Amino acid sequence: MSQPHLSLLAGLLLAGLALTATAQDKKAVTPAEMNYQAGGSPLGNEAMYQSTNPKAPPMTQAEFDLARKTYFERCAGCHGVLRKGATGKPLTPDITLGKGTDYLKVFIAYGSPAGMPNWLTSGEMDEKTVDVMARYIQHDAPVPPEFGMAQIKQTWKVIVPPAQRPTKKMNNYNIENIFSTTLRDTGEVALIDGDTKKIINIVKTGYAVHISRTSASGRYLFVIGRDAKINMIDLWMPTPDNVAEVRIGLEARSVDTSKYKGKEGDFTDKLAIAGAYWPPQYVIMDGDTLEPKKIVSTRGMVVGTQEYHPEPRVASIVASHFKPEFVVNVKETGKTLMVDYSNLDALKVTEIGSAPFLHDGGWDSTKRYFMVAANNSNKISVIDAKEGKLAALVDVGKIPHPGRGANFIHPTFGPVWATGHLGDETISLIGTDPKGHKAQAFKQVAVLKGPGGGALFIKSHPKSTHLYSDSPLNPDPKVSQSVVVFDIKNLDKGYVTLPIAEWADLKDDGAKRVVQPEYNKAGDEVWFSVWSAKNKQSALVVVDDKTLKLKAVIKDPKLITPTGHFNVYNTQHDVY
């Protein structure tokens, strides 16, 4: 179908859509949302079973390969690996065949009021790709392989056995002030000395490390790539490096270690846990070696509708400070699982339902309440880790994305936890003090206005009077290349803008997106990644928190696509 005919049909279809769109439908997909949802999946490179549907329009092998690659780069995050629906609607042949190729091309090209991006008119796809995708989604979805204990153990490697590791710290680094910085596109993390601002080591890891987590003791650093590879780094070694690795699936996001020490026993550093996007499962491992011990599937029923979901992805995981439990958040089913790890042979799991699409989050200042974003439900779920129950479900802005969030003392409302949003310019403040400020507890008590949508991370520190927010996915370079800072003691005066990318003084035309504020241990510096493409120069920028002035710029040819970074001490103690 030519562009003019496609445009005419689009007008007719979208006019009908405008009449039938419900109040719950999103009015538009912002560029920030599109950039976020279109994150690539490593599953596009996996061999998959593919059946040919005789009713579907024909495709050549080359077209199928292009479509599968495009789907996992652009569509799987919303519609799911099996195309059975996630944050987006199902795209299975029983639905798509009845629509037909021309109809599907219009939706792919122009989007819809219900949230479908306009892939053609945004410039993200050309007409050929739109046509190929319209035919592809009428075929049966290719099925990735499962990844069970046999497959996991084949990937498990102990590089330095525990008996051969140092018995004491063998370097002069201030380990508590080391930063672990993700080098997204090279499959590495950079370990950087926070005192000297020098790179200690570039460590080989999985692809696009999503998070770094410090063990309860502070000795080990655990990182997990989007390809589900976990690396365990010993910070006591003369040069900190890998001592064990394992792959717990084909795509993943989360890892943590046991922290509890109490009447049930001392579980410090005893266990590690990781959650997978595919297969939908979490894996509990030995904390010294990463040897896999237990695999638990998360397939099951969705909160509310009680409909079966075949691929509920494991999002954030944290370790409880009150019980020997891991707090496992499952995206599509909207469930938080309190996994009692005190006896793996008789595993006990408490299931807490809240709202679908649970994603990331962090503890309140007391570390009792876990505040987790149900992003496409536009809510924050408050999990009481002490009582093992849902404390509240708080309505916030469009697509909350807090990272770990930010805790601080509000001049009026007392202790609050804050989140920014991908889909709008707001920052929501939620009261977290049910004893001292009962009337405000677990309610949205205030809304700040930021520079625009596309925010990923927000951060403060107990020793700071500032609140920082980034917006790296905002389409305006002036916004994405800077951060905003609020004065906690005078929030009503609005924010000041720090031109972080300009301060980096990079000499090429890279994207220079500024991402993830992270404090040093002392709480007097804030570090930012200035993230450009793999073939462009990137940097880290360090800001003096007291003066909001530039303190240092870290440049090195080895700092390729830096994104998230994590201070060892703050990560170990959940300081944010």
Side-chain angles (χ1 to χ4, degrees):
M1 182 183 292
S2 66
Q3 180 74 27
H5 290 92
L6 191 59
S7 299
L8 176 60
L9 183 55
L12 295 172
L13 288 176
L14 294 176
L17 280 170
L19 296 175
T20 59
T22 69
Q24 294 178 338
D25 285 337
K26 293 184 287 185
K27 300 304 180 186
V29 175
T30 66
E33 293 172 67
M34 186 184 297
N35 289 338
Y36 180 70
Q37 296 288 8
S41 164
L43 288 172
N45 299 319
E46 297 292 334
M48 300 183 189
Y49 170 75
Q50 170 66 30
S51 65
T52 302
N53 191 326
K55 297 180 180 179
M59 298 185 74
T60 66
Q61 186 61 48
E63 288 175 330
F64 177 81
D65 291 342
L66 170 64
R68 193 183 78 159
K69 181 176 184 292
T70 302
Y71 182 84
F72 282 102
E73 286 178 348
R74 297 294 188 184
C75 314
C78 264
H79 298 285
V81 170
L82 304 178
R83 303 211 304 261
K84 292 181 181 291
T87 54
K89 295 180 179 179
L91 294 175
T92 46
D94 59 310
I95 298 170
T96 55
L97 278 170
K99 302 294 185 183
T101 301
D102 288 344
Y103 184 96
L104 294 170
K105 284 169 66 175
V106 169
F107 276 90
I108 295 169
Y110 294 96
S112 79
M116 178 69 179
N118 54 321
W119 292 113
L120 178 68
T121 53
S122 69
E124 298 290 333
M125 294 184 189
D126 57 22
E127 287 191 53
K128 174 187 175 182
T129 305
V130 168
D131 174 67
V132 167
M133 294 306 295
R135 287 180 283 137
Y136 173 76
I137 60 175
Q138 295 175 73
H139 285 263
D140 295 336
V143 181
E146 298 294 322
F147 211 78
M149 185 61 79
Q151 290 76 28
I152 293 174
K153 284 196 170 181
Q154 287 176 359
T155 73
W156 174 48
K157 184 179 181 181
V158 179
I159 301 163
V160 182
Q164 298 176 21
R165 296 175 195 167
T167 57
K168 62 180 181 179
K169 182 171 172 283
M170 300 296 290
N171 59 60
N172 293 322
Y173 299 116
N174 177 7
I175 286 177
E176 291 185 330
N177 202 34
I178 288 175
F179 286 75
S180 174
T181 297
T182 297
L183 305 181
R184 187 186 187 280
D185 292 341
T186 63
E188 298 168 325
V189 295
L191 302 181
I192 303 174
D193 186 334
D195 293 349
T196 66
K197 313 297 188 290
K198 302 295 185 183
I199 295 174
I200 297 169
N201 196 14
I202 302 291
V203 181
K204 287 292 182 183
T205 63
Y207 169 72
V209 163
H210 194 244
I211 57 173
S212 298
R213 290 289 174 262
T214 310
S215 66
S217 69
R219 173 174 180 173
Y220 293 108
L221 189 70
F222 295 79
V223 301
I224 188 165
R226 293 195 175 207
D227 57 1
K229 183 181 179 183
I230 304 168
N231 289 82
M232 180 180 180
I233 300 167
D234 187 353
L235 299 175
W236 279 12
M237 296 172 69
T239 300
D241 210 336
N242 286 318
V243 293
E245 63 182 41
V246 71
R247 195 177 182 196
I248 57 93
L250 299 177
E251 183 175 5
R253 296 293 189 279
S254 51
V255 66
D256 211 338
T257 64
S258 54
K259 290 184 169 65
Y260 181 77
K261 182 178 181 181
K263 61 182 180 180
E264 292 89 347
D266 183 0
F267 296 94
T268 304
D269 290 7
K270 292 291 191 296
L271 297 170
I273 183 173
Y277 269 26
W278 186 270
Q281 61 191 28
Y282 58 88
V283 180
I284 300 175
M285 299 154 283
D286 180 85
D288 283 335
T289 66
L290 294 181
E291 178 184 4
K293 296 290 189 181
K294 189 88 173 180
I295 305 174
V296 183
S297 173
T298 55
R299 291 179 169 104
M301 316 311 283
V302 177
V303 167
T305 65
Q306 299 294 293
E307 294 180 353
Y308 176 75
H309 201 290
E311 52 169 307
R313 298 172 286 182
V314 179
S316 53
I317 298 177
V318 293
S320 172
H321 299 268
F322 285 88
K323 298 177 184 178
E325 290 181 334
F326 292 121
V327 184
V328 178
N329 296 284
V330 186
K331 189 181 287 283
E332 278 72 25
T333 53
K335 296 175 181 178
T336 297
L337 309 178
M338 312 298 285
V339 180
D340 184 338
Y341 54 71
S342 60
N343 185 351
L344 298 188
D345 294 325
L347 195 71
K348 297 177 183 177
V349 180
T350 301
E351 179 185 295
I352 303 172
S354 56
F357 315 119
L358 296 177
H359 191 57
D360 59 352
W363 294 107
D364 80 306
S365 59
T366 69
K367 301 178 179 61
R368 172 174 174 172
Y369 300 98
F370 188 66
M371 320 285 289
V372 57
N375 53 18
N376 276 62
S377 295
N378 303 328
K379 299 177 186 295
I380 298 295
S381 172
V382 183
I383 303 298
D384 184 343
K386 183 177 180 180
E387 298 294 333
K389 65 180 183 181
L390 179 69
L393 200 56
V394 185
D395 290 319
V396 290
K398 187 177 182 182
I399 314 183
H401 194 288
R404 290 303 207 186
N407 290 298
F408 61 92
I409 306 298
H410 190 280
T412 303
F413 304 116
V416 297
W417 178 90
T419 180
H421 300 86
L422 269 162
D424 64 35
E425 63 188 3
T426 65
I427 295 170
S428 294
L429 309 186
I430 298 172
T432 59
D433 183 18
K435 289 186 178 180
H437 297 77
K438 187 176 180 179
Q440 289 81 34
F442 309 126
K443 297 176 181 177
Q444 180 175 267
V445 296
V447 177
L448 308 178
K449 183 179 179 181
L456 290 183
F457 300 102
I458 190 167
K459 192 64 65 76
S460 190
H461 189 279
K463 296 181 180 179
S464 174
T465 60
H466 292 130
L467 174 69
Y468 294 81
S469 177
D470 66 16
S471 299
L473 299 185
N474 193 286
D476 184 349
K478 291 183 180 179
V479 177
S480 66
Q481 295 180 7
S482 62
V483 298
V484 298
V485 189
F486 293 85
D487 181 351
I488 290 171
K489 295 181 179 180
N490 192 1
L491 294 167
D492 291 340
K493 73 177 183 181
Y495 58 80
V496 297
T497 301
L498 304 185
I500 301 296
E502 179 183 321
W503 287 348
D505 192 27
L506 301 178
K507 301 303 183 184
D508 58 36
D509 58 351
K512 305 175 188 176
R513 290 164 291 195
V514 176
V515 63
Q516 192 159 348
E518 177 75 351
Y519 281 83
N520 63 344
K521 180 191 174 184
D524 58 10
E525 292 178 356
V526 188
W527 291 42
F528 300 90
S529 290
V530 182
W531 167 30
S532 286
K534 187 175 181 178
N535 62 343
K536 302 291 184 180
Q537 187 182 30
S538 294
L540 301 179
V541 170
V542 182
V543 172
D544 186 312
D545 181 61
K546 303 298 182 186
T547 64
L548 302 184
K549 302 296 184 182
L550 175 65
K551 188 169 184 178
V553 177
I554 305 172
K555 296 179 185 177
D556 192 289
K558 296 188 290 291
L559 290 178
I560 300 170
T561 58
T563 52
H565 41 262
F566 303 85
N567 175 267
V568 165
Y569 180 88
N570 292 338
T571 303
Q572 176 188 0
H573 296 281
D574 295 308
V575 177
Y576 36 79

